[in-house]
Amino acid sequence: MRNVRSVTVVILSFLTFVSLSTGEKGNFTISFTERSPLSEIETIKARLGNRMIQLELAERRDAPYDLSKELFEVYVPTDNQPGTRYGLVVWIHPQGSGRIRESYKPVMDEHHLIWIAPSKSGNNLPLWHRIAPAIDAVHNMKKRYNIDPARVYVGGFRDGARSASFLAVAYPELFHGGFYLHGGYYFRKIAVPTEPGRYFYHFQTPPPNTLKLIKQRNRYVLLSGDHDLHRKAEILVKATYEAYKRGGFSHVAYIKIPGMRRGYPNPAWFGKCIAFLEHPSQLTGTIEDNVRNEPAQPSLLANRRSPFAQRDRRRTFLAETERLLSPKKVRQVDGVAAKPTQPTSPSTPQLREREVEELRLSPGMQVRIDAPEAKSYFLVYVPSDYTPNRPWPVIFCYHGYSGSATTWPFRQVTGGKGFIIVGMNYATTDYHKQLPYEKTGPEKAYFNEAFAFILSHLRIEPEFVFMGGYSQGGYSTTVLGEQMLERLAGRLVLGAGRTHVDRFPPPADLIRGHPVFFGAGELDDPHYLRAKRAAQLYREWGADVTFEGWPDETHGLSNKWQEKTKMLDWLIAKGPLKQAESMFSQALVAENEGKLGQAFSMYDQASRILPDNELCNEATTSAERLFQDAHAQLAEAEKAMNGKPYRQAAAQLNQIAETYQGSVFAELAQKHLKDLLNTKADELEAKAHAAEETENYKKSLQFYQLYLGYFSGSERYQIVKARMNALKAQMKVKEK
């Protein structure tokens, strides 16, 4: 009896093991209902320190954590066999959804790792709400899959990395490693190297036994790029790594990728990070020593190629979409041609094309535009890579003392690509007096007049409007720009300081985090020192400041000054790159909500912004995936039009139109619906004609009445209605 019981236990254990290994695979979204005891607020407070969490709870007492309302993005390797034991990567993204990048899936497949990321872990949530779902993810995934507890890691990007750094230390029973991308904190005070007397954020030191365990066992990877314009983030990552090493942690790696900005690493570097977590003996210490013979991650701003250059690999799905949208052959019914319609994509707003053409607002052109309200004019430069298929960032450029409207230096710095540039004059001569704080009214009105023009003639992105200028244009930017902070994505103050020095500080809530780029020649007296002082003031006010001093440059810049600036890096980081990230995040949300048409349009637009960027390439992949799905559904619907009853085929097409609303696919579905309607209407009209030819007028009249009752939207409705009325009149005459 004992042997039978033992065999039963073994069989049940094996069946449980197999069932845990054969769950859903591939990409999917999941939700849970069972909370982990470790995710309770009191536990989090005890682990991280009561003070940190208590402050947030005091601000958000009305925000309880309901796990059933949380969604998680999951990827499970698809080629694993039953019985596979998986590792688990829990990812925390600072902008909501953390869906895995397509290019990372082969790495996860190679290491048999599952990816899971809470969809609601953005910076708008308090810390405890970003941490709790990650804990609950581990708890529930262990119940669904055969997870190796020694291979459970937590990671994140930017602020998500900081949340991950708390978990990787405070919850050793869950996590055996951490992956911090452009972020991460230590549990003890670390001085900010560049700011004496200031310290990075820190959290509660773990108990001695826990600390001893994680120092010997856990693995940690910290990653940044040497092109990261957020200098403080790079300093934080390196300082945190050094603190880990001083603290005696055995398995810590710091990776500084050559040529990388503040973004996700390419698949090769991502694979190196995962390999270290899985096998820490392969890489030790700082991986800076291991990258000397490695190729750099491609920079968006490499001199050899414009960041806006198109990929060699063309998106064939776009050409196919255009083909599908082309009008079909003209149908003929009873010798009368039915006029086809030519739809226009709802993702592209209707611009005043004839007026745009007359004004020569075409790619690569600079046009002078009259501003009658300001009694002046301004210049509009359209980038050479401009298309109306997506919205574009704009730079308003102000000229120096005694100058006139110009697009210098921004047209030159950008290489004439990526940005619409508006060269402004001044509405009054007050700018000669360094544009007094209280006399900006006419300049605001002039700005609004120019803005209204480009908004109605070109496709712009109002959320990414910049202002800048050189010399007096830079000083004017500090005055006018500070009064328009809510409308600007950033400002560029070149060869200048702040007009009012430390007087008239800008609104604290608007200047905090506002991006400002200062640049001046190091021999430019007195403007260089004024620029440095202004940059320091802005930092004290909480602005996101980047300062450049150009060696050996005076106020009259040399022909080589552009080689000394990373202004384009800054512009792309604050403009197109953010724009692409925003669009990609919106597309993920739309896709999760089942709004596939909106998701496709956003992916498509994001893919066009920086074609060589990893995120934009991923957007292309996502757009292609949605295209293939929609194309297959439309093909199935076309078959249904020939084989299924009218109502069924129409219902199928209506469903496609609703699912893909806001994209060319909805438009195609509507086009098929119209074709289907007209085809069925034509069949009924043909029956009415046949009955009429055999002088069965009563039957013919019935067919006409059915036509008018069912096909009011058909192209020949009015013709058929007139024919029926004529037939009725003819029948009355015969009755007499």
Side-chain angles (χ1 to χ4, degrees):
M1 187 68 182
R2 183 177 299 173
N3 291 337
V4 171
R5 187 177 300 166
S6 300
V7 170
T8 302
V9 169
V10 170
I11 292 173
L12 288 174
S13 299
F14 175 76
L15 291 175
T16 301
F17 176 76
V18 171
S19 67
L20 285 171
S21 303
T22 56
E24 190 172 355
K25 295 182 180 181
N27 266 116
F28 57 92
T29 303
I30 195 171
S31 60
F32 306 118
T33 56
E34 184 176 318
R35 291 279 303 272
S36 165
L38 297 175
S39 71
E40 297 294 337
I41 295 298
E42 292 303 318
T43 305
I44 296 175
K45 283 164 56 177
R47 298 289 180 102
L48 301 186
N50 183 69
R51 182 183 64 84
M52 286 177 58
I53 306 302
Q54 199 65 45
L55 290 173
E56 291 183 335
L57 287 175
E59 295 174 358
R60 300 182 64 115
R61 290 174 180 160
D62 59 340
Y65 171 59
D66 185 351
L67 179 60
S68 65
K69 295 181 180 179
E70 305 289 324
L71 295 176
F72 296 79
E73 296 287 348
V74 182
Y75 173 72
V76 179
T78 55
D79 58 349
N80 292 329
Q81 301 300 315
T84 298
R85 204 166 195 204
Y86 297 99
L88 180 67
V89 174
V90 182
W91 194 260
I92 303 175
H93 192 70
Q95 296 175 338
S97 175
R99 182 171 181 158
I100 188 172
R101 293 170 173 249
E102 291 291 326
S103 58
Y104 288 177
K105 289 180 181 179
V107 176
M108 305 299 282
D109 293 345
E110 178 186 351
H111 292 277
H112 306 299
L113 285 167
I114 294 174
W115 173 288
I116 184 168
S119 289
K120 297 179 182 178
S121 59
N123 294 340
N124 58 316
L125 296 173
L127 176 62
W128 59 269
H129 198 154
R130 281 179 274 160
I131 284 177
I135 297 169
D136 290 329
V138 178
H139 176 76
N140 284 279
M141 291 301 282
K142 283 182 175 179
K143 291 178 176 292
R144 285 165 172 75
Y145 294 89
N146 181 28
I147 302 294
D148 182 353
R151 297 173 55 231
V152 178
Y153 315 113
V154 60
F157 177 60
R158 296 196 325 205
D159 285 354
R162 295 165 191 176
S163 300
S165 66
F166 298 143
L167 287 166
V169 169
Y171 284 84
E173 66 269 57
L174 295 183
F175 300 107
H176 282 234
F179 180 7
Y180 315 147
L181 180 56
H182 301 292
Y185 285 127
Y186 195 59
F187 50 84
R188 292 190 176 121
K189 275 188 176 183
I190 306 175
V192 180
T194 56
E195 300 179 39
R198 296 194 64 182
Y199 297 88
F200 289 115
Y201 206 68
H202 65 284
F203 54 104
Q204 183 169 280
T205 303
N209 289 341
T210 298
L211 193 55
K212 182 178 180 181
L213 171 68
I214 62 177
K215 283 183 177 182
Q216 295 174 353
R217 184 198 70 185
N218 283 17
R219 289 88 74 188
Y220 302 97
V221 177
L222 296 90
L223 184 147
S224 68
D226 66 0
H227 276 53
D228 191 343
L229 293 176
H230 299 262
R231 183 73 178 139
K232 191 171 180 179
E234 183 185 340
I235 293 170
L236 166 63
V237 172
K238 189 167 186 178
T240 303
Y241 161 73
E242 290 170 348
Y244 270 108
K245 295 302 291 182
R246 286 195 304 272
F249 283 79
S250 301
H251 308 296
V252 186
Y254 169 50
I255 302 178
K256 186 175 179 180
I257 299 180
M260 180 179 169
R261 302 163 60 81
R262 195 179 203 193
Y264 279 83
N266 64 30
W269 284 110
F270 176 76
K272 289 180 183 293
C273 296
I274 293 298
F276 178 81
L277 291 174
E278 294 276 85
H279 309 289
S281 60
Q282 293 183 2
L283 291 171
T284 57
T286 170
I287 304 186
E288 282 182 304
D289 297 331
N290 294 283
V291 302
R292 289 172 184 165
N293 298 318
E294 296 283 350
Q297 173 146 317
S299 170
L300 292 177
L301 302 159
N303 291 330
R304 65 183 182 275
R305 182 173 181 175
S306 165
F308 305 107
Q310 292 296 313
R311 285 186 299 274
D312 294 332
R313 182 173 66 88
R314 306 304 298 167
R315 287 186 296 270
T316 56
F317 72 91
L318 291 178
E320 177 66 8
T321 301
E322 294 300 323
R323 184 192 69 78
L324 291 170
L325 278 172
S326 61
K328 291 187 175 181
K329 290 182 179 179
V330 175
R331 297 180 299 106
Q332 287 198 348
V333 179
D334 195 24
V336 180
K339 185 179 179 182
T341 58
Q342 175 63 47
T344 56
S345 172
S347 63
T348 303
Q350 294 299 301
L351 302 174
R352 290 147 65 178
E353 293 178 0
R354 182 175 298 173
E355 189 174 354
V356 168
E357 186 177 344
E358 289 173 356
L359 290 168
R360 300 178 67 198
L361 284 174
S362 52
M365 296 296 294
Q366 182 165 293
V367 182
R368 172 176 167 148
I369 306 296
D370 288 333
E373 293 179 16
K375 298 179 181 179
S376 186
Y377 70 91
F378 54 89
L379 303 177
V380 176
Y381 172 75
V382 182
S384 60
D385 53 345
Y386 175 83
T387 75
N389 293 324
R390 68 169 179 90
W392 293 73
V394 182
I395 304 173
F396 278 80
C397 174
Y398 286 84
H399 66 76
Y401 186 82
S402 74
S404 59
T406 180
T407 54
W408 182 90
F410 303 116
R411 180 176 171 181
Q412 288 73 15
V413 166
T414 60
K417 294 183 178 182
F419 293 82
I420 295 168
I421 304 172
V422 183
M424 298 292 289
N425 279 309
Y426 295 91
T428 71
T429 58
D430 283 326
Y431 84 95
H432 284 196
K433 305 167 187 175
Q434 294 196 336
L435 195 60
Y437 180 84
E438 67 282 359
K439 293 186 178 182
T440 57
E443 303 304 337
K444 291 178 186 176
Y446 185 15
F447 178 96
N448 290 335
E449 186 177 1
F451 183 83
F453 175 88
I454 60 169
L455 184 63
S456 63
H457 289 79
L458 296 169
R459 192 169 183 197
I460 71 168
E461 177 51 79
E463 296 296 319
F464 291 95
V465 175
F466 296 85
M467 180 184 290
Y470 188 80
S471 191
Q472 180 55 55
Y475 286 105
S476 298
T477 296
T478 66
V479 181
L480 183 59
E482 285 178 11
Q483 297 183 32
M484 303 177 67
L485 289 175
E486 70 281 359
R487 299 180 61 179
L488 300 177
R491 290 174 296 143
L492 299 100
V493 182
L494 310 176
R498 186 171 183 267
T499 296
H500 298 293
V501 194
D502 57 355
R503 295 182 300 133
F504 309 117
D509 57 328
L510 296 179
I511 194 62
R512 190 177 301 113
H514 176 75
V516 188
F517 181 96
F518 281 93
E522 293 181 354
L523 303 180
D524 185 357
D525 184 25
H527 304 294
Y528 177 72
L529 293 178
R530 290 177 181 175
K532 287 193 73 172
R533 183 176 182 185
Q536 184 57 36
L537 274 171
Y538 274 122
R539 287 192 184 100
E540 292 172 3
W541 290 333
D544 177 8
V545 177
T546 298
F547 180 85
E548 273 190 355
W550 304 318
D552 304 319
E553 294 292 341
T554 63
H555 201 62
L557 298 174
S558 72
N559 294 330
K560 294 186 176 181
W561 80 271
Q562 280 183 236
E563 300 173 6
K564 305 172 184 179
T565 179
K566 291 186 177 180
M567 194 187 310
L568 182 55
D569 294 54
W570 185 90
L571 277 167
I572 290 178
K574 305 304 181 185
L577 192 57
K578 266 191 168 181
Q579 188 182 358
E581 289 174 349
S582 175
M583 283 184 177
F584 192 85
S585 295
Q586 291 176 55
L588 286 175
V589 171
E591 186 175 358
N592 288 336
E593 294 176 351
K595 300 174 182 176
L596 301 187
Q598 182 181 336
F600 171 80
S601 295
M602 299 301 291
Y603 282 134
D604 177 39
Q605 291 178 46
S607 72
R608 300 170 187 265
I609 294 174
L610 293 167
D612 281 339
N613 176 256
E614 180 74 21
L615 181 65
C616 294
N617 283 333
E618 187 170 348
T620 299
T621 302
S622 297
E624 288 174 339
R625 170 174 49 79
L626 291 182
F627 172 85
Q628 296 297 340
D629 292 346
H631 195 284
Q633 292 181 44
L634 283 167
E636 184 66 29
E638 284 184 3
K639 291 181 183 177
M641 289 169 64
N642 300 320
K644 291 184 179 179
Y646 170 74
R647 289 182 182 276
Q648 280 185 263
Q652 192 170 346
L653 286 166
N654 274 317
Q655 180 61 48
I656 294 172
E658 182 179 348
T659 302
Y660 291 94
Q661 184 178 2
S663 74
V664 293
F665 309 117
E667 192 174 321
L668 286 167
Q670 293 290 353
K671 187 180 179 185
H672 286 326
L673 268 172
K674 193 165 187 177
D675 288 342
L676 179 63
L677 178 103
N678 285 321
T679 299
K680 297 300 180 183
D682 293 348
E683 291 173 1
L684 194 55
E685 185 182 358
K687 289 180 180 179
H689 282 188
E692 195 173 342
E693 287 174 358
T694 60
E695 297 186 357
N696 189 348
Y697 299 122
K698 187 175 180 180
K699 189 72 172 176
S700 177
L701 193 59
Q702 288 176 343
F703 283 134
Y704 282 136
Q705 287 171 335
L706 283 171
Y707 186 110
L708 298 180
Y710 281 98
F711 302 115
S712 59
S714 68
E715 291 172 351
R716 292 179 53 80
Y717 181 84
Q718 293 300 331
I719 296 173
V720 170
K721 185 177 181 180
R723 181 59 192 159
M724 186 186 75
N725 290 335
L727 181 60
K728 283 182 177 180
Q730 182 182 341
M731 291 172 67
K732 284 182 181 179
V733 171
K734 287 188 176 182
E735 287 175 359
K736 291 179 180 179

